[in-house]
Amino acid sequence: MVKEMEGDAFEEFSTSLFRLTRSLRSTSHLWVQLPGGLKRTDIATLTVLADHGDCRPGFIADRMHVGASVVSRQLAGLADDGLVIRRKDPADGRAELISLSPEGEARLQALRTAYVATLRDHFTDWDAARAREAAALLHDIADHVVRALAGTAPHHHTHPNSTDTHDNDSQDIHV
């Protein structure tokens, strides 16, 4: 009987996840209305650079859970737009380091500011505690999904704003 009740809870959880992904997918066109004219993949790449500083393309691909060729094409476009700077890695001349350009930083910051303001406008019935609780739960869900798809077991995740001292190897992409 306990298994059946757990199954019902996970059925509800599954339905909620599908509803969330459908909602996000059906509103993805709204991203282009934010300042900077950036696509989701642009934002993800720029966010990795903003969060981690100078990175090799392979690191960016790992963080975004995509192949190196995807990141290579993405970086070429971002470099052409003046949003990232590509240069040789001084530690290994065969490798490349990528960093945000000042223009890339400015456009990402403008987008983050606009996105957060939009969320505040639409979640007026939420206080800071509820927003943090939701953020922690979404981080946990994302970590479980990524690990499930990679075939690895879940382990303890610490939210970036937590005071917990466990190691946080989360590969989060956020705006």
Side-chain angles (χ1 to χ4, degrees):
M1 180 102 170
V2 171
K3 292 263 188 210
E4 188 175 310
M5 286 191 304
E6 286 178 359
D8 291 343
F10 279 93
E11 178 70 30
E12 187 176 333
F13 177 59
S14 172
T15 301
S16 295
L17 281 178
F18 282 117
R19 182 173 179 236
L20 176 62
T21 56
R22 278 191 318 268
S23 297
L24 292 172
R25 202 174 304 120
S26 69
T27 60
S28 65
H29 65 282
L30 298 176
W31 282 91
V32 297
Q33 295 178 2
L34 293 172
L38 298 172
K39 296 176 278 190
R40 283 184 300 173
T41 53
D42 297 333
I43 296 163
T45 303
L46 296 176
T47 299
V48 170
L49 293 167
D51 291 348
H52 299 282
D54 293 353
C55 300
R56 288 185 176 181
F59 179 85
I60 297 168
D62 288 345
R63 291 290 171 174
M64 292 174 57
H65 309 289
V66 299
S69 62
V70 171
V71 169
S72 180
R73 286 188 301 273
Q74 187 69 28
L75 291 173
L78 291 171
D80 289 346
D81 291 342
L83 302 178
V84 299
I85 300 165
R86 302 172 89 165
R87 66 185 188 288
K88 295 262 186 228
D89 184 342
D92 180 354
R94 300 167 296 169
E96 182 177 46
L97 279 180
I98 312 298
S99 59
L100 271 177
S101 70
E103 174 66 17
E105 284 184 58
R107 285 183 55 189
L108 183 60
Q109 186 56 48
L111 183 130
R112 283 178 167 173
T113 299
Y115 192 67
V116 169
T118 299
L119 286 175
R120 278 193 183 102
D121 289 346
H122 292 287
F123 286 79
T124 56
D125 57 330
W126 282 27
D127 61 7
R130 186 163 184 200
R132 283 190 184 95
E133 183 181 307
L137 185 56
L138 288 171
H139 280 288
D140 193 31
I141 291 168
D143 287 348
H144 276 79
V145 168
V146 167
R147 287 185 183 91
L149 293 175
T152 58
H155 69 278
H156 180 76
H157 169 75
T158 304
H159 185 272
N161 295 333
S162 171
T163 57
D164 196 334
T165 58
H166 287 84
D167 190 337
N168 179 8
D169 70 349
S170 175
Q171 299 180 357
D172 304 324
I173 303 297
H174 53 87
V175 176

